[in-house]
Amino acid sequence: MNRAGLVEAYRRMYEDSRDTALLPADVLRRLGASTGVRYIAQLKLQGFVQNSKNRLGILGLRLIDTQLGDVRLYLQIWDSRDGSIAWEAMEELRIAMDTTKEQPIMLRTLLERSAQDLIAKLP
C-alpha cells in the first residue's frame, strides 16, 4: 500500500471509529498487511481535568494550593487478521498534590503514569 492509500485507510478508520466505535475489518487487514503487524493498538483520551484549590491562605495570600489532575484513558488492541478486539482496558488516574508553587499537574505526567498502569495490565 502506498502512502496515499495508507493515509486514506487511516482516515476511513478514524471516521468509522468515530461513528460506530468499531474499526472496519478490511481496513485493519490492509493496515496489518502494509505494516507487517498482527495487532494494532488504539488509545483514546476520554477525559482530562486540571484544577487548583486554595488550601491555606493568610490575609488574602495563598500559601499552599492543592493541584489536582484527572485523566481517563481507554486502550483497545485489535487483531488485524480478523478485525476483532483482542484486548481492552480503561485506566482512570487522579493525582492531588499540595504545593507552594502555582505549577499545575501536567497532562504528560498523568498520561505517562496511566500508560504504565495500562501496560502492566496487558496479559
Side-chain angles (χ1 to χ4, degrees):
M1 180 183 304
N2 63 19
R3 180 172 166 74
L6 194 57
V7 169
E8 177 59 25
Y10 276 117
R11 185 196 60 73
R12 180 170 167 230
M13 187 173 68
Y14 171 76
E15 287 176 355
D16 287 350
S17 173
R18 184 187 61 205
D19 295 340
T20 67
L22 298 173
L23 299 177
D26 64 317
V27 173
L28 285 168
R29 277 192 292 279
R30 287 177 34 206
L31 289 174
S34 67
T35 59
V37 298
R38 178 172 180 180
Y39 297 102
I40 298 172
Q42 181 182 30
L43 183 65
K44 298 177 185 178
L45 176 62
Q46 292 186 316
F48 170 64
V49 175
Q50 283 178 322
N51 207 346
S52 175
K53 293 184 179 179
N54 187 2
R55 184 73 157 183
L56 175 63
I58 299 174
L59 301 173
L61 296 174
R62 295 185 329 192
L63 299 177
I64 298 177
D65 281 339
T66 300
Q67 299 295 332
L68 304 165
D70 293 302
V71 71
R72 185 181 320 116
L73 291 179
Y74 185 66
L75 175 66
Q76 289 180 318
I77 307 289
W78 293 79
D79 187 329
S80 66
R81 291 185 185 164
D82 63 11
S84 66
I85 297 173
W87 184 82
E88 61 187 343
M90 186 181 75
E91 181 67 27
E92 290 188 62
L93 176 67
R94 171 175 254 205
I95 297 177
M97 143 179 99
D98 290 333
T99 181
T100 57
K101 300 176 184 175
E102 289 194 28
Q103 183 176 358
I105 296 173
M106 303 303 289
L107 176 61
R108 181 182 182 126
T109 303
L110 293 163
L111 290 177
E112 286 173 351
R113 287 245 330 249
S114 295
Q116 289 170 355
D117 292 345
L118 276 172
I119 290 168
K121 291 179 182 179
L122 281 168

